[in-house]
Amino acid sequence: MATELLSPLLPQRCRGLSVAAAAPLLLLLAVVTFSCSPVAPRAPELVELTLLAGAREKGAVCLDGSPPGYHLQRGFGSGAHNWLVYLQGGGWCNTTESCSERKMTEFGSSKLMEAVEFTGILSNRHQENPDFHNWNIVVIRYCDGASFAGDAEGEDQDGTKLFFRGLRIWEAVVDELMAKGMDTAKQALLTGCSAGSLAALLHCDNFRERFPQDVSIKCLSDAGFFIDEKDLSGERSLRTLINAIVHLQNVREALPKGCLANKDPTEVSSHISNSVLFVMFLNSLTDESLLQCFFPAELIKSINTPTFILNSDYDSWQIRNALAPNGSYPGQAWSSCKADIRNCSSTQMDILHGFRKKLVSELKVAEDKRDWGLFIDSCFTHCQSPFRISWISRISPRLGNKTIAEAVGDWYFGRREEVKYIDCKYPCNPTCSSHLPTA
């Protein structure tokens, strides 16, 4: 199983947020903790889990067949009719074996989910989250292993079923939220972290379509801009992983039609109005076409909803698990460099600068979209919006003298005509703190 930085939404106090990381093809969890409390006035309250009603009848279930869940913190005051929907991250599973292991965790079964704390962009405290603190805030728990995109079934090693139902979970939970008041939203923001951030991109236009055109709907992608780059051995380990996910979990129907249209515009234009013919068209697509639309560089070309891309151009998870998945390569030992970018040699930094160059070049599409926003810092980190220390604090990363929270707020509410910040090369930014969370 490929496991990225797991969501900070874990049932424990702010004294230590748990972060887990692993090699992309192995279930290898390394848990580290860091302090998020030096600037926090008090510990946030726990938000209880709500299980999806009628989940089994809808076929919208976790890997083990249990109902999916979400956490809802109601808005108040001027934010009572605004909604922020956050898709939890936590890697992927790409084989029957890895999905079987995953279903024994909270990332595959709601039986193991507990109440969580809301911090950073999810906080209901003005000091910690000035622009969104009084909105209705929802965290949809991640228990399918394919970025809320799959629709298939498999068989566990013990003969029991594995349910790859991420797409149905997405649709059913959003339907339930609409029935709980989101249908009258005045403003809404769809976001997520890592694998959940990729899901936010996949479902961004679908989310927009659920609301009247006069409602302000936007999307925020945090640490979800995964790039298709060769690793140091010359292999494309991330591509291999994603390809296996696409094949195992059947993500076809979750891929935006606009992206698929770019693969074969003549074919899709003749089929897109007929659902039966469109399913036939999806089934005729090659794995390569589907794979391309699962990577953000291609995906964002077809997204019409205003979107903000928040990412490090030295993303710690991608460097550790996609660029240098092993500890050593001929002529270079990478374990120390991957652990802390400050340990990297000049030769290794040249390679990391090359990674940055590729990422920035693929972001050109977003940079050219008028109503999109960017905050691409040079910090060695992964997922920044759900942590107060990186979202908004005395030691938060800053670009243009703005914290991430300020930049996102400026973009969403139109306080600045353009909010597009791309940092210079590491180590140019003194606000990149060694205390920031990393994968």
Side-chain angles (χ1 to χ4, degrees), residues 130-390:
D131 285 311
F132 307 105
H133 70 282
N134 61 350
W135 287 29
N136 296 281
I137 299 178
V138 185
V139 171
I140 304 178
R141 296 298 289 270
Y142 182 33
C143 66
D144 64 276
S147 290
F148 296 88
D151 191 7
E153 287 186 9
E155 187 173 297
D156 200 341
Q157 294 166 301
D158 62 7
T160 59
K161 281 187 177 181
L162 281 171
F163 298 92
F164 306 127
R165 297 290 178 78
L167 178 59
R168 298 193 197 190
I169 292 172
W170 157 257
E171 292 174 341
V173 172
V174 172
D175 285 346
E176 185 161 302
L177 295 175
M178 296 295 275
K180 288 189 172 185
M182 194 167 70
D183 60 330
T184 61
K186 295 180 179 179
Q187 300 178 102
L189 177 65
L190 175 65
T191 183
C193 155
S194 201
S197 171
L198 175 59
L201 291 176
L202 287 168
H203 297 304
C204 183
D205 281 347
N206 173 265
F207 189 67
R208 160 72 272 182
E209 291 166 3
R210 291 171 177 266
F211 299 90
Q213 283 303 308
D214 61 348
V215 177
S216 175
I217 307 295
K218 298 185 179 183
C219 302
L220 165 62
S221 168
D222 178 8
F225 206 89
F226 301 99
I227 63 175
D228 183 13
E229 179 74 309
K230 288 182 179 180
D231 63 33
L232 296 179
S233 65
E235 301 296 325
R236 293 186 182 272
S237 56
L238 187 56
R239 169 180 276 253
T240 300
L241 166 66
I242 297 296
N243 187 55
I245 297 166
V246 166
H247 179 72
L248 176 70
Q249 297 219 29
N250 181 29
V251 305
R252 287 173 171 80
E253 291 190 30
L255 300 177
K257 293 178 181 179
C259 183
L260 296 174
N262 292 335
K263 303 297 106 187
D264 193 339
T266 303
E267 280 294 312
V268 78
S269 63
S270 64
H271 290 145
I272 202 167
S273 61
N274 185 303
S275 59
V276 175
L277 291 177
F278 187 70
V279 170
M280 293 173 62
F281 168 72
L282 288 179
N283 292 332
S284 72
L285 287 172
T286 65
D287 285 348
E288 178 63 24
S289 296
L290 298 172
L291 177 64
Q292 289 180 23
C293 286
F294 209 70
F295 274 103
E298 190 68 27
L299 180 57
I300 63 172
K301 294 178 183 177
S302 63
I303 296 176
N304 297 314
T305 307
T307 299
F308 192 101
I309 305 294
L310 166 62
N311 224 91
S312 166
D313 51 16
Y314 298 89
D315 184 279
S316 56
W317 186 88
Q318 292 195 65
I319 288 171
R320 290 171 176 169
N321 301 292
L323 181 64
N326 299 313
S328 63
Y329 297 88
Q332 289 285 337
W334 276 80
S335 296
S336 180
C337 175
K338 292 198 302 179
D340 189 332
I341 195 171
R342 292 172 295 184
N343 297 332
C344 298
S345 67
S346 58
T347 301
Q348 289 168 329
M349 283 309 309
D350 286 342
I351 293 172
L352 298 190
H353 291 327
F355 177 88
R356 172 190 180 274
K357 183 177 180 181
K358 173 74 178 295
L359 185 142
V360 171
S361 69
E362 293 192 346
L363 284 167
K364 188 67 167 59
V365 174
E367 192 176 3
D368 290 342
K369 292 193 177 190
R370 183 183 57 81
D371 51 2
W372 283 42
L374 293 170
F375 191 103
I376 311 300
D377 58 44
S378 59
C379 308
F380 186 60
T381 188
H382 180 77
C383 284
Q384 300 177 83
S385 63
F387 298 101
R388 184 179 196 274
I389 196 171
S390 46

Side-chain angles (χ1 to χ4, degrees), residues 1-2 27 92-103 248:
M1 177 177 72
L27 177 63
W92 306 284
C93 61
N94 63 318
T95 64
T96 298
E97 293 74 20
S98 62
C99 290
S100 297
E101 293 172 344
R102 188 181 181 93
K103 81 171 189 178
L248 176 70

Side-chain angles (χ1 to χ4, degrees), residues 42 98 107 110 116 129 152 189 211 429 432:
R42 58 184 171 85
S98 62
F107 292 93
S110 62
V116 297
N129 190 21
L189 177 65
F211 299 90
N429 190 339
C432 284

